[in-house]
């Protein structure tokens, strides 16, 4: 179909690939777009940068929530339900794409999109990152360029028609959601539904991290939020211990202890994870730190150290037998 300039939008061309149905949706602040997208370079090969179908789920953005790539809200507002359209966008609209893509990729990988983000605006963060962690996105940061977006719009929902994710909530709504998520997690733990409980704790942590990103690290507002994050992370780690996800526990407790090196409970959970993966020296060191930091946990530490000793002795006996068997087998050859 013939290319046309979008009304009152400089540096954008639209081509409808498949017509949609009905009238243009009536939008209001808080309306939610659900759509699939492809991002391509404007080169001879039309190199694909991102494809939401590869992540297995469509993209969602909320009207009026300052999505970093503002032009997407404009593009989607020009589409009807079921429409597939191709948009060429000049560099003036695509400068933030590398950061947006980085966040979307981290979410698809099950990681916190704001992890490591400094307390600065989006453009400041772009210059703070020496690398996004993705070579193709690093190239886009070094050489901003026009991009092509192919979008398929599935639905547009009014704010009252869906349960909003925590990232789409206001500051007040996020703060109100955290104790609810914490309580739901505790209830699921009592039912020994550890995976579901971990998801509740994780959602609450991400909610608080989003708020922390707007505060200056180690100042009062940041510290107040951090005091809410810490018990949630510890609860999450306890669930992961129950689920046998020991390396997950090692990662999160170590990150926590880098900020709070006097947290006995974090050392205790890390020690149990070390013990579970046969890191005897590290486990003993962490258990000893626990006893030093919190004498009230000395009895629990003594019990864990006794169990660790018994497990290690049993393992050494089994290893000796295994090696002897291998040695005897090799002699018989």
């Amino acid at each position: 179909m013939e290319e046309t300039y979008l009304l009152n939008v400089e540096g954008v061309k639209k081509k409808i690939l498949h017509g949609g149905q009905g009238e243009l949706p009536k939008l209001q602040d808080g309306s939610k777009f659900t759509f699939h997208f492809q991002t391509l370079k404007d080169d001879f090969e039309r190199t694909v940068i991102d494809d939401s179908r590869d992540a297995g789920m469509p993209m969602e953005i909320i009207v009026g929530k300052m999505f970093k790539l503002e032009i997407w809200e404009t593009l989607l507002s020009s589409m009807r339900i079921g429409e597939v359209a191709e948009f060429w966008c000049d560099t003036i609209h695509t400068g933030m794409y590398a950061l947006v893509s980085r966040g979307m990729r981290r979410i698809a990988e099950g990681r916190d999109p704001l992890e490591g983000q400094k307390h600065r605006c989006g453009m400041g963060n772009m210059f703070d990152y020496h690398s996004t962690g993705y070579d193709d996105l690093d190239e886009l940061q070094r050489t901003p360029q026009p991009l092509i977006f192919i979008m398929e719009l599935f639905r547009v929902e009014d704010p009252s028609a869906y349960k909003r994710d925590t990232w789409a909530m206001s500051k007040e709504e996020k703060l109100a959601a955290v104790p609810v998520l914490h309580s739901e997690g505790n209830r699921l733990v009592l039912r020994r539904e550890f995976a579901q409980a971990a998801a509740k704790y994780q959602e609450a942590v991400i909610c608080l991290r989003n708020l922390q990103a707007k505060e200056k690290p180690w100042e009062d507002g940041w510290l107040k939020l951090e005091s809410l994050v810490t018990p949630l992370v510890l609860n999450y780690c306890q669930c992961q211990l129950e689920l046998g996800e020991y390396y997950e526990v090692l990662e999160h407790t170590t990150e926590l202890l880098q900020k709070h090196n006097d947290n006995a409970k974090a050392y205790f959970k890390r020690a149990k994870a070390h013990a579970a993966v046969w890191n005897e020296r590290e486990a003993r060191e962490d258990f000893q730190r626990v006893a030093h930091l919190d004498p009230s946990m000395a009895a629990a530490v003594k019990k864990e150290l006794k169990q660790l000793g018994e497990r290690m002795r049993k393992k050494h006996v089994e290893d000796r037998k295994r090696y002897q068997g291998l040695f005897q087998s090799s002699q018989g050859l």
Side-chain angles (χ1 to χ4, degrees):
M1 300 181 68
E2 184 179 356
E3 289 186 353
T4 58
Y5 283 91
L6 278 178
L7 185 64
N8 297 325
V9 181
E10 180 185 358
V12 176
K13 295 178 183 179
K14 176 181 178 181
K15 184 192 298 183
I16 297 176
L17 305 180
H18 183 279
Q21 301 172 352
E23 301 295 323
L24 289 175
K26 294 181 180 179
L27 302 175
Q28 56 181 299
D29 193 46
S31 294
K32 180 168 74 173
F33 291 111
T34 302
F35 60 100
H36 267 308
F37 74 94
Q38 266 192 327
T39 304
L40 303 88
K41 287 186 177 180
D42 184 21
D43 56 14
F44 181 77
E45 297 83 6
R46 288 169 63 94
T47 305
V48 176
I49 300 172
D50 289 308
D51 188 335
S52 61
R53 287 180 173 82
D54 291 342
M57 64 180 65
M59 178 72 179
E60 298 175 348
I61 64 172
I62 308 296
V63 174
K65 289 299 180 182
M66 295 186 294
F67 184 63
K68 286 181 180 176
L69 204 64
E70 294 179 8
I71 192 62
W72 273 18
E73 187 174 314
T74 303
L75 305 182
L76 291 162
S77 298
S78 77
M79 299 177 68
R80 292 171 168 80
I81 305 300
E83 180 178 324
V84 181
E86 177 178 309
F87 299 92
W88 177 90
C89 294
D90 203 355
T91 308
I92 59 173
H93 300 298
T94 63
M96 294 297 294
Y97 185 76
L99 283 182
V100 171
S101 176
R102 174 185 183 270
M104 292 187 295
R105 292 183 188 186
R106 291 175 70 87
I107 290 171
E109 294 164 3
R111 302 161 68 189
D112 180 357
L114 295 177
E115 182 181 332
Q117 183 166 308
K118 297 184 179 181
H119 177 66
R120 293 182 61 179
C121 65
M123 189 60 70
N125 274 312
M126 182 166 66
F127 289 106
D128 280 332
Y129 292 126
H130 297 293
S131 172
T132 62
Y134 305 94
D135 292 340
D136 58 338
L137 300 184
D138 289 345
E139 179 194 347
L140 287 182
Q141 285 199 166
R142 288 191 300 268
T143 56
Q145 56 197 269
L147 295 174
I148 296 167
F149 303 112
I150 300 176
M151 296 179 161
E152 180 179 2
L153 181 60
F154 295 132
R155 58 182 174 272
V156 177
E157 298 170 272
D158 291 337
S160 60
Y162 65 92
K163 177 183 180 296
R164 281 189 288 174
D165 294 324
T166 51
W167 64 266
M169 296 177 180
S170 67
K171 177 180 179 180
E172 292 73 21
E173 289 170 329
K174 288 175 183 175
L175 287 172
V178 167
V180 175
L181 290 166
H182 198 157
S183 178
E184 289 177 353
N186 292 348
R187 177 177 56 81
L188 289 163
V189 165
L190 291 174
R191 293 164 55 178
R192 303 193 63 79
E193 296 178 15
F194 297 113
Q196 295 88 335
K200 295 293 183 182
Y201 296 137
Q202 185 178 45
E203 185 178 354
V205 169
I206 291 175
C207 184
L208 291 168
R209 293 296 190 208
N210 286 338
L211 293 174
Q212 269 191 316
K214 298 177 177 65
E215 301 287 344
K216 196 166 184 179
W218 301 105
E219 292 197 353
D220 289 345
W222 189 94
L223 288 169
K224 185 176 180 180
L225 292 167
E226 185 69 13
S227 69
L228 299 175
V229 168
T230 299
L232 288 162
V233 172
L234 291 172
N235 287 359
Y236 174 83
C237 288
Q238 184 59 43
C239 290
Q240 297 304 320
L241 282 174
E242 298 286 352
L243 293 167
E245 299 291 344
Y246 304 118
Y247 290 102
E248 180 91 353
V249 177
L250 291 175
E251 177 184 349
H252 287 284
T253 51
T254 298
E255 182 182 347
L256 185 63
L257 288 165
Q258 286 171 352
K259 298 176 184 175
H260 312 288
N261 61 7
D262 60 348
N263 192 300
K265 290 181 179 179
Y267 278 118
F268 189 78
K269 295 183 193 304
R270 191 172 74 170
K272 287 177 71 69
H274 275 309
V277 296
W278 308 106
N279 296 338
E280 181 179 13
R281 178 180 60 80
E282 292 88 345
R284 289 187 180 279
E285 288 177 356
D286 278 353
F287 279 133
Q288 288 166 1
R289 287 192 186 99
V290 173
H292 173 73
L293 289 168
D294 188 352
S296 70
M297 298 181 71
V301 166
K302 184 177 179 180
K303 179 181 177 181
E304 292 290 342
L305 286 171
K306 181 180 178 181
Q307 291 177 350
L308 175 62
E310 291 171 352
R311 288 182 70 242
M312 295 307 302
R313 280 191 293 274
K314 185 177 179 181
K315 183 177 185 294
H316 293 326
V317 170
E318 291 174 350
D319 287 346
R320 244 190 336 265
K321 289 180 180 178
R322 187 179 302 112
Y323 294 141
Q324 286 175 353
L326 289 173
F327 180 70
Q328 291 170 356
S329 297
S330 63
Q331 284 186 325
L333 293 177

